[in-house]
Amino acid sequence: MRYIEVENYEQLSVAAANIIAAQVILKPNSVLGLATGSSPVGAYKELIKKYENGELDFSAVTSVNLDEYIGLDGDNDQSYRYFMNTNLFNHVNIDKSKTFVPSGIATDIEKECKDYDDNIARLGGIDLQLLGIGLDGHIGFNEPDEFFTKATHKVTLDESTIEANARFFESIDDVPRAAVTMGMGGIMGAKKVLLIANGESKKEIIEKAFFGPIDPKVPASILQLHSDLTVIYSKK
Ligand code: F6R
């Protein structure tokens, strides 16, 4: 594991964007595993800048996102599809038909999950997976549990996750209670993993996840077994 501490969110965002950019430059048809939430917003802004400066070309890139809320369609401004469109895809030359986000409104969620994993396999797996981390140690929406779940699956969100994500909604009652998330098989199958976290509130979970025992009650701890993991943390 490469563990890097930087001074602030701006440095974290630049470092993350540089790693993602290097991946795309070295392999223009990379499959990027992408995340939503507040952690990657700065990195996405940096990637947009690089694209606008002519330093990056996304035309051959494919992306697969980690998760989506159940019940929200892609036009809903709280959906993760909408987040990806507005924070990255609309501003670079990625082919939207090659951007995959699980559907939160599929009538057959089990089939949607299986198809999602089949698609990742068809793409040849993920080259670089970007992750944030929840205060409870979740990655994607793999919440603390008795075991790690391999496949893409439906999850009921933990109360702490619902509270943490309420900041993006008008009221906590509007936060969906369930989501579809890529499982640990998809994440651990990525050739490279980059996890970014910032803020004093994340310090404890970063300690537990990367310097403590590997425990499904701290889902991100499984990443300690990944052979190419980079963690970047900034206190501010
Ligand atoms: C988002 C995701 C989540 C977030 C995590 C941290 O696609 O999969 O695991 O990365 O909840 O969220 P932020 O960055 O908002 O603190």
Side-chain angles (χ1 to χ4, degrees):
M1 167 176 69
R2 278 170 231 104
Y3 179 74
I4 303 166
E5 275 199 21
V6 293
E7 286 297 309
N8 53 44
Y9 183 69
E10 201 195 341
Q11 285 181 11
L12 174 131
S13 300
V14 169
N18 284 343
I19 292 170
I20 298 165
Q23 173 67 42
V24 173
I25 289 165
L26 290 171
K27 187 180 177 198
N29 64 344
S30 287
V31 178
L32 298 180
L34 298 177
T36 61
S38 50
S39 306
V41 170
Y44 293 156
K45 286 204 174 106
E46 293 298 324
L47 288 174
I48 293 166
K49 270 194 228 162
K50 286 180 192 294
Y51 165 71
E52 286 172 347
N53 293 340
E55 293 165 48
L56 262 189
D57 175 10
F58 288 86
S59 61
V61 167
T62 299
S63 69
V64 282
N65 260 76
L66 284 166
D67 40 20
E68 181 60 283
Y69 286 119
I70 286 188
L72 302 191
D73 77 22
D75 294 333
N76 186 307
D77 61 7
Q78 298 297 347
S79 73
Y80 284 172
R81 158 58 71 183
Y82 188 92
F83 175 102
M84 288 311 302
N85 285 349
T86 50
N87 283 284
L88 182 63
F89 301 154
N90 288 350
H91 309 287
V92 297
N93 65 335
I94 198 163
D95 174 353
K96 283 248 185 80
S97 69
K98 293 196 298 191
T99 65
F100 299 97
V101 180
S103 166
I105 52 157
T107 42
D108 186 344
I109 291 286
E110 263 177 42
K111 182 175 181 303
E112 170 66 18
C113 291
K114 184 172 181 315
D115 289 352
Y116 206 69
D117 283 337
D118 288 350
N119 187 42
I120 294 172
R122 183 185 62 82
L123 293 168
I126 295 165
D127 289 302
L128 172 65
Q129 177 66 56
L130 176 65
L131 297 171
I133 183 171
L135 290 172
D136 61 0
H138 70 226
I139 48 177
F141 275 135
N142 292 278
E143 296 283 24
D145 208 332
E146 300 299 321
F147 44 79
F148 296 108
T149 301
K150 185 176 171 190
T152 295
H153 59 288
K154 179 183 170 179
V155 280
T156 305
L157 300 181
D158 278 6
E159 216 35 60
S160 68
T161 301
I162 292 166
E163 279 164 27
N165 289 3
R167 68 191 195 277
F168 300 115
F169 291 80
E170 262 181 35
S171 101
I172 192 162
D173 296 331
D174 295 335
V175 186
R177 267 40 189 174
V180 179
T181 183
M182 197 189 286
M184 292 305 193
I187 295 171
M188 288 296 285
K191 294 175 188 80
K192 293 182 182 148
V193 176
L194 169 62
L195 184 141
I196 54 175
N198 66 290
E200 199 66 62
S201 64
K202 295 260 172 93
K203 190 153 183 51
E204 200 182 322
I205 193 64
I206 289 284
E207 281 288 325
K208 272 199 198 166
F210 301 110
F211 302 98
I214 296 166
D215 180 349
K217 297 231 165 59
V218 184
S221 64
I222 197 174
L223 296 172
Q224 290 182 43
L225 296 175
H226 198 281
S227 59
D228 194 336
L229 168 67
T230 303
V231 176
I232 312 179
Y233 173 70
S234 78
K235 235 186 259 171
K236 281 187 247 160

